[in-house]
């Protein structure tokens, strides 16, 4: 494919318009739920993390952005960067639709550093087949853009056109270097509407040839695997994807779309051999389209999008919508992945207070904090000497009684995040399994202005959910419910993380 033949236009005008669009929202933004510790756009809608990388001394995170609305719309790429993964600064918007193949959206993709030291982005150029909406499917092709400074990008056009007119979804390239070659995987909905991940290979980053479908989803309901990723971890390979069409079953796959992974083995030139079941990345209400990358020290890091999925989505009225999860480190834990906040996050913590150990009777409560916009909570529970049926924390507790409950539930033998006492937003609960026979339970809970992340037993399970508190101070209360006996909290501390944004009060 001769990329020089693709017409490209100066996109600076589009970017200037989009920047003004974001600024108009930012000027009127209501900050009641706007994150202090999570990446979000200044204004407008965001979805997937894109182009995560380390380039010329800085970490870069891009994101799918609709600059003219607080709901999904024509996609652009927004951009933030950080020297240390702790504090972040906003960068100029990176890409706006500017040529025919991407005229309806600059969709998701990834970034790699070329051998000659350039930042190269692969992403999906998107068009509606009928010119207006998805009713007749999408026309999608993998495109390339190159940057010398990691901030300004020159588009190079289409590098992987869609080979079959009957394919209606063909997107989200993830690229890495494998030996002397480059590999690309992306999601495909086959002409039979089956979700697959296809692999391509290239010697020169420009000419790509089809290698094989590296993964075919076994479930006939699953028609598309969005945002696939494939990476080595220890002596294994992980394939992950965001599945469209997966039906809920018991505690599993309760969200509109669900992101997870399988672990197996792979040799270049061969097939992927799956060795584990499918696991969700995150058991919360709001998690989708994660992307991983390798930090220069070798750690595999993942950022997810806290997808708002279900109406009502009240932040839409506040001038912004959508945030990432905290960056998490991914490690192998036998047949699944452990994901926990990167260690650098603790550098933000201020005013750490110790409350434990605490012994609490049944149906009792203790007020711990009267007002917290952010919190980094660590709580260990001795399950073997606790008899209370539920032991946990009411978070975002406001004077009208609204709160989100995070607790261990002994009937379920699971950790629960329960939003049924909330005025704002979608309610409902989600759960994550606990091995009660271990005798103890370790919880780390990160509270932001509009979200809660729960890390169970050092990230063996994770739950991410929006939680939109009502007006007034936001208290934290320890509670126990029902059962005969008591709750034994062996340790409990609460710190107040500072904001991640450079120049805003740090
Ligand atoms: C996943 C996704 C991707 C696509 C992008 C468009 O959330 O649908 O498949 O590239 O979002 O914004």
């Amino acid at each position: 494919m001769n990329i020089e033949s693709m017409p490209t236009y100066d996109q600076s005008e589009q970017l200037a318009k989009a920047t003004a669009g974001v600024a108009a929202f930012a000027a009127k933004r209501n900050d009641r739920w706007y994150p202090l510790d999570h990446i979000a756009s200044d204004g407008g809608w965001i979805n997937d993390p894109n182009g995560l990388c380390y380039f010329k001394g800085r970490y870069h995170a891009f994101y799918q952005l609709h600059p003219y609305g607080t709901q999904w719309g024509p996609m652009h790429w927004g951009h933030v960067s950080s020297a240390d993964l702790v504090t972040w600064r906003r960068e100029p918007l990176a890409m706006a639709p500017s040529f025919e193949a991407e005229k309806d959206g600059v969709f998701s993709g990834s970034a790699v550093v070329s051998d000659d030291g350039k930042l190269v982005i692969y992403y999906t150029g998107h068009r509606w087949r009928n010119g207006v909406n998805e009713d007749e499917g999408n026309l999608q092709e993998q495109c390339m853009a190159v940057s010398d400074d990691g901030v300004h990008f020159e588009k190079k056009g289409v590098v992987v056109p869609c080979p079959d007119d009957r394919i209606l979804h063909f997107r989200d390239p993830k690229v890495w270097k494998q030996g002397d070659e480059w590999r690309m995987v992306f999601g495909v909905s086959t002409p039979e509407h089956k979700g697959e991940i296809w692999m391509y290979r290239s010697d020169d980053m420009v000419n790509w040839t089809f290698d094989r479908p590296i993964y075919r989803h076994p479930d006939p309901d699953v028609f598309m695997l969005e945002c696939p990723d494939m990476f080595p971890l220890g002596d294994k390979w992980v394939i992950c994807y965001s599945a469209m069409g997966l039906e809920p079953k018991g505690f599993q796959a309760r969200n509109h779309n669900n992101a997870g992974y399988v672990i197996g083995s792979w040799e270049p030139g061969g097939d992927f051999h799956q060795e584990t079941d499918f696991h969700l990345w995150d058991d919360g209400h709001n998690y989708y389209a994660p992307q991983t990358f390798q930090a220069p020290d070798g750690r595999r890091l993942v950022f997810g999008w806290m997808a708002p999925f279900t109406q009502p989505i009240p932040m839409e009225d506040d001038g912004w919508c959508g945030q990432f999860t905290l960056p998490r480190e991914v490690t192998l834990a036998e047949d699944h992945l452990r994901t926990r906040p990167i260690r650098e996050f603790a550098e933000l913590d201020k005013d750490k207070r110790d409350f434990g150990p605490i012994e609490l009777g049944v149906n009792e409560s203790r007020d711990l904090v009267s007002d917290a916009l952010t919190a980094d909570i660590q709580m260990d529970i001795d399950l073997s000497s606790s008899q209370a049926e539920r032991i946990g924390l009411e978070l975002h507790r406001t004077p009208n009684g609204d709160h989100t409950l995070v607790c261990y539930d002994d009937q379920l033998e699971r950790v629960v995040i329960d939003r049924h006492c909330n005025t704002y937003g979608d309610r409902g609960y989600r759960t994550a399994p606990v091995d009660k026979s271990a005798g103890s339970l370790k919880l780390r809970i990160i509270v932001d202005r509009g979200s809660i992340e729960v890390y169970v037993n050092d990230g063996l399970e994770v739950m991410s959910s929006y939680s939109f508190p009502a007006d007034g101070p936001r208290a934290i209360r320890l509670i126990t419910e029902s059962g005969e006996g008591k709750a034994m909290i062996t340790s409990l501390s609460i710190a107040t993380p500072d904001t991640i944004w450079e120049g805003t009060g740090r």
Side-chain angles (χ1 to χ4, degrees), residues 49 227-229 240-242 259-260 281 287-292 302-305:
C227 301
D229 199 344
C240 59
Y241 50 79
S242 294
W281 274 107
Y287 189 86
Y288 200 60
Q291 184 176 96
T292 75
V302 62
F303 290 64
W305 163 45

Side-chain angles (χ1 to χ4, degrees), residues 20-37:
V22 171
F25 281 118
K28 288 194 271 182
R29 196 179 68 211
N30 183 336
D31 279 345
R32 58 190 163 163
W33 303 316
Y34 187 78
L36 290 165
D37 288 316

Side-chain angles (χ1 to χ4, degrees), residues 47-48 64 72 75 107-108 171-172 226-227 288-289 305:
N47 48 288
D48 317 351
Q64 290 281 281
W72 190 88
M75 280 293 126
F107 272 20
S108 283
R171 60 175 175 270
D172 307 338
E226 297 189 293
C227 301
Y288 200 60
W305 163 45

Side-chain angles (χ1 to χ4, degrees), residues 448-467:
D448 205 337
R449 283 199 288 212
S451 64
I452 291 171
E453 286 175 62
V454 183
Y455 296 84
V456 181
N457 288 330
D458 281 323
L460 269 184
E461 311 290 339
V462 187
M463 287 185 280
S464 304
S465 297
Y466 286 110
S467 164

Side-chain angles (χ1 to χ4, degrees), residues 429-441:
Y429 69 95
R430 292 287 181 272
T431 73
V434 168
D435 175 13
K436 189 184 174 187
S437 69
S440 61
L441 169 66

